[in-house]
Amino acid sequence: MEPSPGAQARRFALGEEEDEGLSRGVGSQRAGRVARDNGEPAREGAREALAGAEPDGREAEEATVVLPSRHWSRRSSDRGAPPQRELSRETWPVRHVPEDTARSGRHGVREATEELSLTPGAAGGAPVAGPPRVQEQPPRLSPETAGLAGEAPLAGAQTRGESDAPALLAELRRERFTGGLRVAASGAPERRLWWSEGQVIGGASSAPGESVLGRLAARGLLSPTHLELAARWGTGDPRRDVERLAQSGLIKPQEMREALREPVRRIVERIAESGSVAWGLYPGEAPAVAVELGVPLAAMIAGGVQRGATLSQLRVAVNDDRKPRLAFAGPEALAAELRWPAVGAVTERFDGQTRVGELIAAAVADEAVIRGVVYVLELLGHLAPEIDDPAATLTALDRQRVRERLRLARESDYFALLGLPREASRADVLRAHADLTATFCESLEPDSRVELAEEIEELLAALDEARDVLSDDALHSAYLAQIGAS
C-alpha cells in the first residue's frame, strides 16, 4: 500500500535530521519553536506534530511542512533575526497549494530541471542565498539551468555554428570533444550536454519534463502527490534529491542510478531528433556529477534519426546513386552497437556496387529504413569511401602490389622479400611466408588473377624458395655467408 503524504513527510523530516543533525522536519509552529529554543531534536518535533494525525493516516489540518533550514543557513543578513519569526515565515501547510501554482496546474513542479548541479560557486551559478516566502518562492534552478534561463542563447560560446543535430553529435564523438555543448532550436527548450573524450557525461534542460523529478513522474515512478512533495523538498542537487527519495521510500534503491542517467539520455535523444540547431561549444566545462549513460552514444544518435528525420530529409541526405560498403565492423556488430535490428539485414547488401535505389527497388527494407541506415553509418564513419569504378581501381591496386613485391624477389635477397631482418628465427620465416602467400593468392580480385597470372606464379615460387632456404638451419647459414661476402 502506498504510504500517505503524512507518512512521507515524517520520513523526509527524520531522514533530514539524521543526515544533517539540524532541527527541521514536519511539525507545527510550536514544535519548531521548541526544537529551536530548547535544542530538542527535530525528530521529537516531527513526532509531536504528527501525533494528532487521523487514524486513517491523513494529517491534521494544522500539520505543516518546513523547508530544510540549510537552504538559508548561510545567509549573513538573517543571522541576527529572531528564530521564531524566521521559522513561521517558512512553513507551508501540507494541503495548501499556492494560488499562482493552482492556476498554473503544475502542483509544485519546477519551471526548469534540477539536472546535475555544479558545485557552489562553479561557472553558471551560485549557492542559494536565502528563502523568500514559500508561497512566493520561484522555481529553484540548478547552476546549469540558471544559466540557461538567465543568459542570452549561446552566450560566451568559444565556437558557434548551425548544423543538423545528428551530424553535430557524431562530429563531437569522432573528434573526442571535451567540454560543454549548448543547443538552441526554434520552439524547443535550451539544452546542454557535457562531454569527456567524445562521450556524454552530463546534461541539463530548461524543460521541466526533462528533469530528474519530471522523468520519474513521466515513467510512473512518482505519483502526483509524491512529485509535489519531492518538488517542495528538492535541494537543487539531483544526486542528493534522489538519495532522499530512496531514503523516504518513494523510489526503490535499485532505481537511483537510472534516475540520474535516464534524463541525460532523454536530452541526448531529443537533441538528435531536433534537425537543424544552433550550437555553441564551451571547452573545459564539466558537470559536478558525471554519469555513465549505459547506452552507446551511437545508438542514441541512430534512435534520434529514426524518430526525428522525415523521408524527404533522408532523400536529400542520401542519394539514390550512393553505393555503400562497410569499412570496418560487420553487419551483426553494427546492429548490436546501434541497437537497431534492421541494420543487420540492410548492411548485408552493402557491397560497394549496389546502389541505394536498387536496394529500395529490391525491397530489402522500408525506404526510410534503408536511407536512415546509410545516413547514420555515414555520420558514424562506418562506410568506406565510395569508388567510381571499383573493379578498375581494385585491379590497379593489385597490380601495383604484385609488381612491387616481384621487384624485391628479382633484385634483393630473401630477407627483404619476406620483410624480415637477418636475425629472424625459423618461426618468423614461416609466419611471414604464410602472410604473403595469403595476400598474393587469396586476396586478389578475379580480374587481377587473370591479368597478372604469370607474374603471380613467379612471385609465389620466389616466396616458396625463400621459405625453404631460410627455414633450414644449414641452408640459412650458408645463405648468410653468401650474401655477407657479396
Side-chain angles (χ1 to χ4, degrees):
M1 177 180 298
E2 180 178 271
S4 68
Q8 302 304 334
R10 180 186 297 106
R11 291 181 181 178
F12 268 113
L14 297 182
E16 188 67 29
E17 185 272 335
E18 289 172 357
D19 290 339
E20 302 291 342
L22 298 176
S23 298
R24 55 183 175 270
V26 178
S28 65
Q29 297 179 11
R30 184 177 66 83
R33 183 169 59 254
V34 172
R36 183 180 287 258
D37 294 342
N38 299 333
E40 294 179 4
R43 183 192 304 271
E44 297 301 325
R47 289 175 177 168
E48 180 180 347
L50 293 173
E54 297 176 9
D56 59 359
R58 296 173 297 173
E59 302 92 321
E61 290 295 330
E62 68 272 18
T64 57
V65 174
V66 182
L67 293 180
S69 61
R70 71 176 179 194
H71 290 310
W72 61 86
S73 60
R74 299 180 183 175
R75 186 172 62 176
S76 58
S77 60
D78 290 342
R79 289 176 181 174
Q84 167 58 26
R85 182 179 180 182
E86 189 68 37
L87 179 62
S88 63
R89 284 200 312 116
E90 296 306 321
T91 59
W92 188 344
V94 171
R95 295 183 179 178
H96 172 67
V97 178
E99 184 178 353
D100 56 347
T101 304
R103 286 197 301 267
S104 68
R106 286 190 295 271
H107 301 291
V109 180
R110 285 178 169 69
E111 292 283 340
T113 180
E114 303 90 348
E115 297 293 302
L116 302 173
S117 302
L118 292 170
T119 55
V128 178
R133 297 184 66 85
V134 174
Q135 288 83 348
E136 302 171 358
Q137 184 176 357
R140 185 183 294 111
L141 303 178
S142 68
E144 294 101 323
T145 54
L148 291 177
E151 300 177 4
L154 310 182
Q158 179 172 318
T159 307
R160 299 186 187 187
E162 186 169 342
S163 307
D164 285 338
L168 170 64
L169 297 177
E171 179 70 14
L172 295 178
R173 172 180 177 268
R174 183 166 50 252
E175 296 298 324
R176 302 181 68 82
F177 173 69
T178 297
L181 165 70
R182 190 182 297 185
V183 171
S186 177
E190 193 169 345
R191 299 179 173 102
R192 280 185 179 181
L193 293 177
W194 284 272
W195 300 69
S196 176
E197 295 293 322
Q199 296 298 318
V200 175
I201 60 171
S205 170
S206 62
E210 295 173 3
S211 67
V212 169
L213 295 182
R215 290 303 305 153
L216 287 173
R219 294 161 58 205
L221 301 180
L222 280 183
S223 67
T225 301
H226 293 163
L227 176 63
E228 180 180 349
L229 181 65
R232 291 176 182 176
W233 281 81
T235 66
D237 178 351
R239 176 166 290 182
R240 175 66 181 132
D241 289 345
V242 167
E243 289 175 350
R244 294 184 65 190
L245 289 172
Q247 291 168 358
S248 303
L250 298 183
I251 64 173
K252 300 176 182 178
Q254 59 266 34
E255 294 169 343
M256 294 173 60
R257 183 182 183 192
E258 188 68 9
L260 287 176
R261 64 186 188 179
E262 193 275 342
V264 182
R265 292 203 303 264
R266 174 55 62 98
I267 292 172
V268 175
E269 292 168 353
R270 295 304 299 271
I271 292 176
E273 298 168 10
S274 300
S276 181
V277 296
W279 52 268
L281 297 181
Y282 302 78
E285 278 194 358
V289 179
V291 297
E292 182 181 352
L293 300 189
V295 175
L297 178 58
M300 289 183 278
I301 295 173
V305 170
Q306 293 177 68
R307 291 183 294 270
T310 64
L311 181 57
S312 60
Q313 291 172 330
L314 292 173
R315 284 173 175 168
V316 172
V318 180
N319 191 281
D320 283 354
D321 293 330
R322 181 78 165 90
K323 300 176 182 178
R325 179 196 293 268
L326 295 180
F328 304 107
E332 293 183 1
L334 288 175
E337 178 188 2
L338 302 181
R339 302 194 176 185
W340 192 356
V343 170
V346 173
T347 54
E348 288 284 357
R349 303 288 295 273
F350 286 7
D351 55 9
Q353 300 180 9
T354 305
R355 293 180 172 84
V356 169
E358 295 172 346
L359 294 174
I360 295 172
V364 173
D366 182 77
E367 179 182 356
V369 172
I370 294 174
R371 294 185 187 275
V373 169
V374 175
Y375 178 57
V376 169
L377 295 184
E378 186 75 55
L379 291 180
L380 299 176
H382 287 304
L383 295 183
E386 191 170 359
I387 301 173
D388 293 334
D389 187 352
T393 302
L394 297 179
T395 298
L397 183 58
D398 284 343
R399 184 185 306 115
Q400 181 264 329
R401 289 174 175 173
V402 168
R403 290 177 177 173
E404 175 63 24
R405 188 64 55 170
L406 188 57
R407 183 188 64 79
L408 290 176
R410 292 170 176 172
E411 300 176 4
S412 189
D413 56 54
Y414 292 151
F415 292 103
L417 173 60
L418 296 178
L420 296 173
R422 296 194 175 184
E423 62 272 14
S425 66
R426 182 176 184 275
D428 295 334
V429 170
L430 296 177
R431 279 194 294 266
H433 175 268
D435 292 342
L436 292 170
T437 300
T439 297
F440 295 107
C441 183
E442 302 171 6
S443 301
L444 299 177
E445 299 296 315
D447 291 346
S448 301
R449 295 177 185 179
V450 174
E451 177 187 340
L452 305 171
E454 294 184 1
E455 292 168 290
I456 294 171
E457 183 179 358
E458 180 182 351
L459 175 58
L460 292 177
L463 290 172
D464 290 344
E465 182 177 338
R467 177 204 57 195
D468 294 340
V469 170
L470 298 184
S471 61
D472 182 275
D473 292 341
L475 294 177
H476 189 172
S477 300
Y479 183 73
L480 281 175
Q482 178 183 342
I483 61 177
S486 60

